[in-house]
Amino acid sequence: MTKSLPMSALRNYNNVFDEVRDGTTIRFTKNGKDAGGVLVNTQEWEHVQAEIRLLTELNRADRNFGTVISHDKFRQKHRHE
């Protein structure tokens, strides 16, 4: 769920962070227009970053399709960071 809040909502930042903890994404506005800032909870951020890493690796693998590497090199390359 995404919710828009004016930048002035940061004056009461405890309430803003309570909403983020509940899983709501906060998009900030200024004078009713996008202010270029978003808050998301840590789990959502980590999930999105993991998706980006996965898609990057899939894209790289697609480009290199047909290139053979050893099992050991594959394991080294794909260890969790």
Side-chain angles (χ1 to χ4, degrees):
M1 170 188 205
T2 300
K3 184 175 187 176
S4 293
L5 290 177
M7 292 294 289
S8 61
L10 287 175
R11 290 182 189 133
N12 194 2
Y13 62 88
N14 286 329
N15 290 343
V16 173
F17 281 99
D18 286 342
E19 290 189 47
V20 171
R21 272 188 231 109
D22 291 341
T24 301
T25 300
I26 306 294
R27 179 181 302 271
F28 289 103
T29 60
K30 187 172 184 178
N31 298 323
K33 296 181 181 178
D34 183 29
V38 176
L39 287 177
V40 295
N41 71 22
T42 305
Q43 289 177 331
E44 179 67 20
W45 175 259
E46 289 172 354
H47 178 80
V48 169
Q49 294 303 305
E51 283 183 350
I52 290 169
R53 283 191 302 273
L54 175 61
L55 290 171
T56 300
E57 285 300 315
L58 288 172
N59 189 26
R60 185 176 296 128
D62 188 52
R63 285 192 315 264
N64 295 329
F65 186 72
T67 303
V68 179
I69 63 171
S70 72
H71 187 72
D72 289 335
K73 283 186 181 180
F74 181 85
R75 270 195 188 158
Q76 263 184 341
K77 185 177 180 181
H78 297 285
R79 281 201 175 123
H80 293 306
E81 297 172 9

